[in-house]
Amino acid sequence: MDTYDTLSEAIKEKQEEGYTYDFNLKNSYLECLLLQEKYNVTDFNVDAFYRFEGDSNPDDSSILYAIQTNSGIKGLLVDAYSMYSEALSSEMIQKLTIR
């Protein structure tokens, strides 16, 4: 798996690899506003993920997910992980669990 020093560096390279859409994380699905589509947990796979730690503030920590839908749409999801993250369904938590 590739490693990156910064979130912006990872996003740029993944976009160059074809992950051009932006996904938003909802309770039990991913949303692509540009395509006006919703993807349930069975509609996508996580191809790769990259974890970034905040240098000075733990609240700055985030994970970048490279995602591909079953229909071939490739995009990115940036998620901050902290106790303030939006409540997710157990299925979504399992789908996004780092392994």
Side-chain angles (χ1 to χ4, degrees), residues 17-82:
E17 292 176 13
Y19 293 89
T20 55
Y21 290 95
D22 292 321
F23 292 113
N24 296 312
L25 183 59
K26 300 299 181 181
N27 176 276
S28 60
Y29 62 90
L30 292 182
E31 173 182 64
C32 179
L33 293 175
L34 185 64
L35 298 175
Q36 297 181 337
E37 293 285 343
K38 295 178 182 178
Y39 302 97
N40 294 313
V41 294
T42 58
D43 297 333
F44 69 90
N45 289 302
V46 176
D47 293 338
F49 62 88
Y50 308 93
R51 185 175 176 161
F52 299 92
E53 302 288 339
D55 288 335
S56 60
N57 184 347
D59 289 340
D60 292 338
S61 300
S62 61
I63 301 176
L64 174 66
Y65 295 95
I67 292 173
Q68 184 166 191
T69 69
N70 294 346
S71 60
I73 301 298
K74 293 170 74 174
L76 300 172
L77 168 67
V78 177
D79 185 38
Y81 54 95
S82 71

Side-chain angles (χ1 to χ4, degrees), residues 77-96:
L77 168 67
V78 177
D79 185 38
Y81 54 95
S82 71
M83 64 177 152
Y84 304 107
S85 292
E86 181 178 342
L88 300 175
S89 69
S90 60
E91 294 85 5
M92 185 62 76
I93 290 170
Q94 184 164 352
K95 186 75 168 201
L96 297 177

